[in-house]
Amino acid sequence: MFGDEIKALRRMGVRQALLQALNFATVLASGFMMWKGLGLITNNESPIVVVLSGSMEPAFYRGDLLFLTNPPNSPFQIGDITVYKLPGVDIPIVHRVIETHSAANNPLNQRLLTKGDNNVEDDIGLYNGLEWVERKHVIGKVRGFMPYIGYVTIAMNDFPWLKYALIGFLAVMGLFSRE
């Protein structure tokens, strides 16, 4: 099945194979550095997220890619779309701020109440015993989006074999390409 590829790898020699592996590692490291750099610029751990449910329709649909920022010195306003992650919950939630409460002496010390545009009720039931989303739970504020691009991520999460097949294909292509 992979006979021709194995022969090509043997003809390549150790030095050429190591060079190909180093090039592949460089591409991976570059992607990681760009992700971390984008996180530093936008002041959050996850500057890009994918919408996983229909709770924000018609503003965002499942599979939309959202671009986030987390301005440290700017309070959240009613109507802002935030992404927050609560303790004990693995998946971030994308919902709109419908109510804010700030301390009188520190307007940045906010507590937020959120709701999905397509939901009937607010999110208090999602807060796991908390009454409000606190600023420390907020990952970021949505600044832009690209429709449907995130379906690739959804497909890889729904079908894990697809993720491994793609990684394997890219690794094989990286090892056997001569350029």
Side-chain angles (χ1 to χ4, degrees):
M1 180 175 181
F2 292 107
D4 293 337
E5 287 82 4
I6 292 172
K7 287 178 187 175
L9 187 60
R10 286 185 181 151
R11 278 193 309 255
M12 206 183 288
V14 174
R15 186 174 181 170
Q16 184 66 27
L18 287 174
L19 182 63
Q20 293 295 85
L22 184 62
N23 284 338
F24 185 69
T26 302
V27 169
L28 290 178
S30 297
F32 181 70
M33 286 188 295
M34 287 191 308
W35 178 260
K36 287 300 183 181
L38 189 57
L40 285 172
I41 291 168
T42 59
N43 190 36
N44 63 32
E45 64 188 45
S46 185
I48 299 172
V49 295
V50 175
V51 177
L52 298 176
S53 74
S55 66
M56 281 301 292
E57 292 178 4
F60 303 118
Y61 292 91
R62 188 171 195 257
D64 288 356
L65 196 68
L66 304 179
F67 300 99
L68 310 177
T69 61
N70 193 6
N73 298 323
S74 145
F76 290 99
Q77 305 294 323
I78 293 174
D80 286 345
I81 299 172
T82 61
V83 178
Y84 60 91
K85 189 172 182 206
L86 298 170
V89 179
D90 292 334
I91 299 173
I93 299 171
V94 180
H95 282 173
R96 189 178 305 273
V97 175
I98 60 170
E99 194 174 320
T100 66
H101 294 277
S102 301
N105 59 351
N106 185 1
L108 296 178
N109 185 11
Q110 285 185 297
R111 295 175 300 163
L112 310 172
L113 179 64
T114 58
K115 177 185 171 296
D117 290 356
N118 201 21
N119 294 349
V120 177
E121 296 180 1
D122 58 34
D123 293 345
I124 290 177
L126 299 175
Y127 295 166
N128 291 334
L130 300 174
E131 293 182 18
W132 306 94
V133 172
E134 297 175 22
R135 179 103 185 185
K136 66 182 179 185
H137 299 131
V138 176
I139 295 173
K141 184 188 299 189
V142 176
R143 295 294 187 181
F145 76 101
M146 291 179 69
Y148 308 116
I149 303 296
Y151 267 114
V152 175
T153 301
I154 292 173
M156 284 194 233
N157 285 332
D158 289 349
F159 306 106
W161 61 267
L162 183 63
K163 181 182 349 183
Y164 299 121
L166 181 63
I167 290 170
F169 175 75
L170 291 174
V172 168
M173 291 303 294
L175 284 174
F176 294 115
S177 69
R178 295 233 179 226
E179 298 175 11

